[in-house]
Amino acid sequence: AARSLHGDAVSLTLAAAIDVLTAAPADAKVIEHVCLAAPELQESMMESLMAKGQHRLAKKVDAALSGATAPSPPAHVLERESAYDNFPPLMLPKSVSFVLVADVAALDRVRARAWSGGVVAVDAEWRPWGKRGQQQQELNDHK
């Protein structure tokens, strides 16, 4: 189920990206580069351009892409990538766990673990106020 949800999320993201890339005024060179980097998107790009009435641009991009090949990466990039192949994958020990603190019970568990010396790091991010402008309103109320 998680894979299908991930697949759906990727599909929706790609559809949104194609929609943005083909919106008027679309740039032929940008579309060409995207299609060269990801040839599987070319058909969707052409369909989207045609559906938006950009027939000339679709023909221009299609003509530019016919017979074109994706540029190969420079030699220094290939050397760097092959050097990375020799490194072992970075993995944390099984004793390390990540805890998403989304409620009071999880916070209590993390606190208990911290007191026993089991927490290495905590990263907290939250909006201090629920609604935009609420902070300013409360400051005005206390004047």
Side-chain angles (χ1 to χ4, degrees), residues 68-82:
T69 58
S72 59
H76 71 279
V77 171
L78 294 174
E79 290 170 7
R80 185 175 57 221
E81 288 176 356
S82 64

Side-chain angles (χ1 to χ4, degrees), residues 98-136:
F98 293 87
V99 179
L100 173 64
V101 178
D103 57 18
V104 176
L107 179 59
D108 290 339
R109 287 193 302 274
V110 170
R111 279 186 178 164
R113 190 162 180 191
W115 286 112
S116 68
V119 174
V120 175
V122 175
D123 179 22
E125 298 172 15
W126 69 89
R127 289 179 53 191
W129 304 98
K131 295 180 183 174
R132 180 176 282 234
Q134 182 177 353
Q135 179 181 14
Q136 186 62 41

Side-chain angles (χ1 to χ4, degrees), residues 11-23 26 31 34-35 38 40-49 52:
S11 297
L12 288 173
T13 303
L14 284 174
I18 289 170
D19 191 47
V20 168
L21 287 170
T22 58
I31 294 172
V34 169
C35 290
E40 66 275 7
L41 298 179
Q42 183 175 349
E43 185 178 336
S44 299
M45 290 278 200
M46 296 303 113
E47 288 174 1
S48 181
L49 286 170
K52 293 177 180 178

Side-chain angles (χ1 to χ4, degrees), residues 84-99:
Y84 290 144
D85 291 339
N86 296 329
F87 287 119
L90 178 62
M91 296 180 1
L92 296 171
K94 291 183 181 181
S95 60
V96 174
S97 64
F98 293 87
V99 179

